[in-house]
Amino acid sequence: MTARNIAFDPPGPRAAVEEGQAFTPRFDRDGLITCIAVDARDGRVLMLAHMNAESLARTLETGEAWYWSRSRGELWHKGATSGQIQRLVEMRVDCDQDALLIRVEVGGDGGCCHTGRRDCFYRAVVRQPDGRAALEFAGI
Amino acid sequence: MTARNIAFDPPGPRAAVEEGQAFTPRFDRDGLITCIAVDARDGRVLMLAHMNAESLARTLETGEAWYWSRSRGELWHKGATSGQIQRLVEMRVDCDQDALLIRVEVGGDGGCCHTGRRDCFYRAVVRQPDGRAALEFAGI
């Protein structure tokens, strides 16, 4: 599949970026933009991942979340193997257009994290008596 | 103020990173880690920003969010001038420890975005009849 129909213009002046209606996503020097995925049911933050222009275009065209896997160096159709498809309910962009927020309905078992948990943020950072920080597994 | 009490060890093997209790944040090549801030009251995503080791340490030590401003190239005590202090309720880290999620109580007028809005994600990305994507201002 080729994303043919959506091209992204480069960012304009700051006022246009922040208060305009042109979608000019600001990709970083690796060609990526950060994307937060939250569950449309309850707003819970599920994961943070990255999109390049191609995955962003595919997400908008197909209505399902596509990311760029930095570890594998390839396009990543979320849920293609696990069934945990993320159906796009809404996409938002932040003030300076360098971050995306998507609200999704999750397919399959409703989970998201490759460790088998519902979301990726399953550990809390807690300061210990000696002042150092350690992790505690947090409840669902 | 110097963050003296918290040092961060480098990431270990994958199993330790994902299932262990050692906090080993994975900073990128600019020394930054991405942080999502959500309102502790209702879980609403407020903003996405970045922390370096110093701002992360200060956040844990002071219980208030400190970021690294990439645009200004300096430590950024959120709310120091606006009053929109973000008091840390909980910090979480994701599976591969390259993203943080903080739940915060917001001071001042309860807002977050420098544009004056409560959060930074005030525009939705919407496909137009011609297939291109444009922005629509979304309701609060």
Side-chain angles (χ1 to χ4, degrees):
Chain A
M1 190 186 87
T2 305
R4 296 152 301 182
N5 299 322
I6 302 183
F8 304 111
D9 293 326
R14 178 170 166 173
V17 167
E18 294 184 353
E19 299 294 340
Q21 291 186 268
F23 182 44
T24 55
R26 191 184 301 272
F27 297 101
D28 67 15
R29 64 182 187 265
D30 295 321
L32 302 177
I33 188 168
T34 306
C35 181
I36 306 162
V38 306
D39 195 312
R41 288 181 304 168
D42 57 6
R44 186 191 190 93
V45 176
L46 296 174
M47 59 186 282
L48 184 141
H50 298 82
M51 294 182 176
N52 64 3
E54 176 74 17
S55 51
L56 176 53
R58 289 191 185 204
T59 299
L60 289 167
E61 289 181 359
T62 66
E64 295 178 354
W66 286 74
Y67 299 103
W68 177 258
S69 168
R70 297 186 300 177
S71 58
R72 296 193 302 274
E74 62 182 22
L75 282 172
W76 167 28
H77 182 196
K78 175 67 181 168
T81 53
S82 67
Q84 297 170 341
I85 294 284
Q86 296 181 346
R87 193 178 75 75
L88 186 65
V89 175
E90 185 184 42
M91 178 183 288
R92 296 213 180 182
V93 67
D94 76 344
C95 46
D96 55 1
Q97 299 203 35
D98 68 354
L100 301 171
L101 172 67
I102 59 175
R103 295 196 305 123
V104 298
E105 289 177 350
V106 183
D109 65 1
C112 160
C113 185
H114 75 286
T115 66
R117 297 171 176 93
R118 180 179 166 203
D119 67 74
C120 298
F121 296 93
Y122 49 85
R123 289 171 296 180
V125 182
V126 179
R127 289 194 74 189
Q128 304 301 299
D130 65 1
R132 292 179 64 87
L135 302 182
E136 290 182 358
F137 285 83
I140 302 296
Chain B
M1 190 187 87
T2 304
R4 295 152 302 181
N5 298 323
I6 301 182
F8 305 110
D9 292 327
R14 178 169 165 173
V17 168
E18 293 184 355
E19 299 294 340
Q21 291 186 269
F23 182 44
T24 55
R26 191 182 302 272
F27 298 100
D28 68 15
R29 64 184 188 263
D30 294 321
L32 303 177
I33 188 168
T34 306
C35 180
I36 305 163
V38 306
D39 195 312
R41 288 182 305 168
D42 57 6
R44 185 191 191 91
V45 177
L46 296 174
M47 60 185 281
L48 183 141
H50 299 82
M51 294 182 176
N52 63 3
E54 175 75 17
S55 50
L56 175 53
R58 289 190 185 203
T59 299
L60 289 168
E61 289 181 358
T62 66
E64 296 179 352
W66 286 74
Y67 300 103
W68 177 260
S69 170
R70 297 187 300 177
S71 58
R72 296 193 302 273
E74 62 182 22
L75 282 172
W76 167 28
H77 183 197
K78 175 68 179 168
T81 54
S82 67
Q84 296 171 340
I85 294 285
Q86 296 181 344
R87 193 178 75 75
L88 186 66
V89 174
E90 185 184 43
M91 178 183 287
R92 296 214 181 182
V93 67
D94 76 345
C95 46
D96 55 0
Q97 300 202 35
D98 68 355
L100 302 171
L101 172 66
I102 58 175
R103 295 197 305 123
V104 298
E105 289 177 350
V106 183
D109 65 2
C112 160
C113 185
H114 75 286
T115 67
R117 298 171 177 93
R118 180 178 165 203
D119 67 72
C120 297
F121 296 93
Y122 49 86
R123 287 171 297 180
V125 181
V126 179
R127 288 194 76 188
Q128 303 301 298
D130 65 0
R132 293 179 64 86
L135 302 181
E136 290 182 359
F137 285 83
I140 301 298

